[in-house]
Amino acid sequence: MRLLFLFSFVVGIGFTQTQRVKTFAQQLCSPEFHGRGYVSGGDSIAAEYIARTFQELGLRPIGKSYFQSFEFKAHTFPGKMQFSSDKRTFQPGVHYITDPGSNSINGTYTIKEVDGKTLLSKSVSIEKSEILVCRNVGFSSDSTRKIREKLHTLAQRYPIVEVVNTKLTWSVDQEHYLKSYLQLQDSVYTNASSFSFAIDAKTKMHTARNVIGFLPAKKKKAPYFVLTAHYDHLGRMGTATYFPGANDNASGVAMLVALAEKFASNKLKDFNVVFIAFAGEEIGLLGSQFFVQHATFPLQKVKFLFNLDIMGSGEEGITVVNATLFPDEFKRLVAINDEKKYLAQVKSRGPAANSDHYFFTQAGVPGFYAYTMGPNKNYHDIFDTYDALSFKAFDALSCLLEDFLRGF
């Protein structure tokens, strides 16, 4: 790991800042980091790597350590992940996903298929040797949602397979059902009479770490800028399948590192700058919530916060959450972009509880959350890989953010 780190940040012939940061992002997406989740210590491996990077760039810890530890319950899939019909074997992440709250399931079950309309209008019961299969395809969005809600309720009593024809989007959870729940692509569900499973699930207490680096101002008692990005992702769904989390959010941590390098080489005289890589975002913004409740510097002294999530494209510009809450700062951001033509557009959006800025905003800290827009729609799936990142607006966006902060 040390050799990989040194390679990532060696300054050699032909290595620009962007190339070094791209190598950093690529490493975060590698199989050795296990999707930066709660299986095989993935998020812990990433935390160590980010802390060493902060140290190499000259960022200091606040106190004695770069880390802030906290604990939470996590439901995981650390072992077997096998699912097949009497006709074919299904590929995890491609043909199916487990619901994040699915329990373990092993054995062979006879399929009992129930139509979605029937499911909503009548009571359902199945035998112990059966599995309830519902083809949730071709309904209105409202009916689709209601069918799924009913299936989630039934998953406390029966094993469930929901057949879908939409994108498979995975997540993580803290709780689990009494039974199993899987989503299977309609395209591979053909003429089957039985399903076989060997799927292991486990709920455990997990210790995660926020990673915090600090660049002190030249002046004492200066206010703070805070730059944040979550580094955790979904981890592994069984031993063979992991979710790389390239755009979400290796790209955001890479932007955090790029800005750390900029401000470390040309420090601000009037502002302290804090860089925070959060854990536990994917399971409910737990890392940022914990930090706000146990802040390592006075939040009332924060002049502005910028949260960075999904930074890997940008062909269509960026969207800025909280733009309507802080109109003066948003106008200045847009003015900089209009003058220097960094991005295609800087789009306004209102407040939303969709990333790590949220609890800071709730605590009265002014700030934005920006994400890039573009053709890359891979999100919470196995296709969110490093190779799918364009980094189209990465350099320009880093310059826009630097100009914005230096303009205070």
Side-chain angles (χ1 to χ4, degrees), residues 24 62 67 71 79 167 177 180 286 313 322 352 365 402:
F24 171 85
I62 297 179
F67 301 116
E71 191 177 50
K167 176 183 176 297
Y177 306 115
S180 64
L286 298 184
S313 58
N322 277 357
V365 175
E402 181 183 15

Side-chain angles (χ1 to χ4, degrees), residues 58-331:
L59 275 61
R60 303 179 186 177
I62 297 179
K64 296 181 179 180
S65 173
Y66 289 99
F67 301 116
Q68 181 189 51
S69 298
F70 61 102
E71 191 177 50
F72 54 88
K73 185 166 65 174
H75 187 61
T76 63
F77 299 89
K80 293 178 291 185
M81 182 60 59
Q82 299 169 19
F83 177 25
S84 63
S85 73
D86 53 323
K87 301 296 183 182
R88 66 178 299 172
T89 297
F90 304 125
Q91 185 177 348
V94 177
H95 298 145
Y96 75 95
I97 56 173
T98 62
D99 186 275
S102 179
N103 213 332
S104 301
I105 183 170
N106 290 274
T108 298
Y109 296 78
T110 301
I111 291 171
K112 181 171 182 177
E113 185 168 348
V114 178
D115 177 76
K117 289 184 178 180
T118 302
L119 186 78
L120 293 178
S121 61
K122 297 181 180 180
S123 60
V124 175
S125 64
I126 64 172
E127 302 296 328
K128 287 185 177 180
S129 61
E130 295 178 324
I131 186 163
L132 180 62
V133 177
C134 179
R135 191 167 177 270
N136 196 359
V137 174
F139 299 101
S140 68
S141 58
D142 184 58
S143 293
T144 298
R145 176 184 56 79
K146 289 179 179 179
I147 291 168
R148 189 161 295 152
E149 289 175 352
K150 183 68 176 291
L151 290 172
H152 285 163
T153 300
L154 290 172
Q156 295 290 5
R157 299 166 58 193
Y158 309 122
I160 304 289
V161 171
E162 179 190 6
V163 179
V164 300
N165 64 351
T166 53
K167 176 183 176 297
L168 295 176
T169 302
W170 204 46
S171 189
V172 287
D173 208 341
Q174 294 185 275
E175 306 296 337
H176 64 85
Y177 306 115
L178 295 179
K179 301 295 182 178
S180 64
Y181 188 130
L182 290 86
Q183 286 187 328
L184 176 67
Q185 284 288 359
D186 184 46
S187 60
V188 295
Y189 175 53
T190 55
N191 301 318
S193 59
S194 66
F195 285 146
S196 296
F197 305 89
I199 295 176
D200 295 333
K202 181 181 180 180
T203 302
K204 63 176 183 176
M205 292 304 297
H206 181 79
T207 299
R209 294 177 291 177
N210 295 327
V211 188
I212 307 163
F214 178 53
L215 285 175
K218 294 180 181 179
K219 290 185 177 180
K220 293 183 178 180
K221 298 182 179 181
Y224 291 77
F225 288 138
V226 182
L227 293 166
T228 67
H230 77 90
Y231 70 86
D232 67 304
H233 196 54
L234 307 179
R236 288 194 175 273
M237 193 180 77
T239 55
T241 303
Y242 83 102
F243 291 73
N247 211 13
D248 181 22
N249 188 35
S251 66
V253 187
M255 182 64 76
L256 193 71
V257 166
L259 292 169
E261 190 168 5
K262 285 175 178 285
F263 286 109
S265 62
N266 185 12
K267 291 184 179 180
L268 293 170
K269 181 175 69 173
D270 298 324
F271 291 92
N272 301 298
V273 188
V274 180
F275 302 83
I276 311 176
F278 285 118
E281 192 267 359
E282 297 288 9
I283 204 164
L285 311 182
L286 298 184
S288 52
Q289 181 181 38
F290 184 87
F291 182 88
V292 169
Q293 294 170 347
H294 305 85
T296 57
F297 55 87
L299 294 182
Q300 65 271 21
K301 293 189 68 176
V302 177
K303 182 69 173 179
F304 208 78
L305 175 144
F306 226 115
N307 181 47
L308 311 165
D309 201 345
I310 308 178
M311 297 274 105
S313 58
E315 290 87 344
E316 300 166 17
I318 61 170
T319 294
V320 179
V321 174
N322 277 357
T324 58
L325 285 183
F326 307 103
D328 291 341
E329 289 83 356
F330 181 71
K331 288 178 182 177

